[in-house]
Amino acid sequence: MDRVALRGLKARGHHGVFPKEREEGQTFIVDLTLGLDTRPAAAGDDLSKTVHYGIVAEEVVDVVQGEPVDLIETLAERIAQQCLSHAGVQEVEVVVHKPDAPITVPFDDVTVTITRSRR
């Protein structure tokens, strides 16, 4: 399976279990790896036979900016399902970063990584 990756998609969302997170929001960063067969697109140099990563990027930002959820696990699942709605995408790995998570000790990042497929 071939891979198309998008790294560092940024959007502001209001996800989290604490009222301050819901009220003020914060930046979330998403990395995606889409699994698909790119041979048909390459053979005909045809965008319609692959996934349009620009559209996927916009859809992911819409999910992050959309309806708030408590957990980034839930957010990752919603993103994965949106990606799998594209006919050619057979598998997706989603990494959701929450660099401003409300943690009381020094840290660089919090991430949740999930992999989902049509299988």
Side-chain angles (χ1 to χ4, degrees):
M1 192 169 311
D2 304 319
R3 303 274 181 240
V4 173
L6 291 92
R7 302 279 181 249
L9 296 171
K10 293 180 185 175
R12 190 159 186 85
H14 293 264
H15 312 289
V17 296
F18 298 112
K20 184 177 180 180
E21 294 179 290
R22 291 294 184 103
E23 293 165 11
E24 296 179 10
Q26 59 192 291
T27 298
F28 293 85
I29 302 166
V30 178
D31 301 325
L32 300 173
T33 303
L34 308 170
L36 64 153
D37 183 357
T38 63
R39 289 175 294 191
D45 199 26
D46 186 348
L47 177 60
S48 71
K49 294 185 179 174
T50 188
V51 64
H52 191 308
Y53 52 78
I55 291 173
V56 171
E58 291 171 0
E59 292 171 349
V60 168
V61 166
D62 287 346
V63 171
V64 174
Q65 293 175 340
E67 180 184 350
V69 296
D70 288 344
L71 304 176
I72 58 174
E73 292 87 342
T74 306
L75 181 59
E77 184 67 34
R78 287 183 177 180
I79 292 167
Q81 294 308 313
Q82 181 60 48
C83 292
L84 289 171
S85 73
H86 292 268
V89 176
Q90 298 301 307
E91 181 177 275
V92 62
E93 179 183 86
V94 177
V95 182
V96 176
H97 300 257
K98 190 175 180 181
D100 298 321
I103 297 175
T104 60
V105 297
F107 74 102
D108 288 329
D109 198 6
V110 172
T111 66
V112 168
T113 302
I114 66 170
T115 302
R116 298 293 181 265
S117 66
R118 293 184 184 278
R119 300 173 236 180

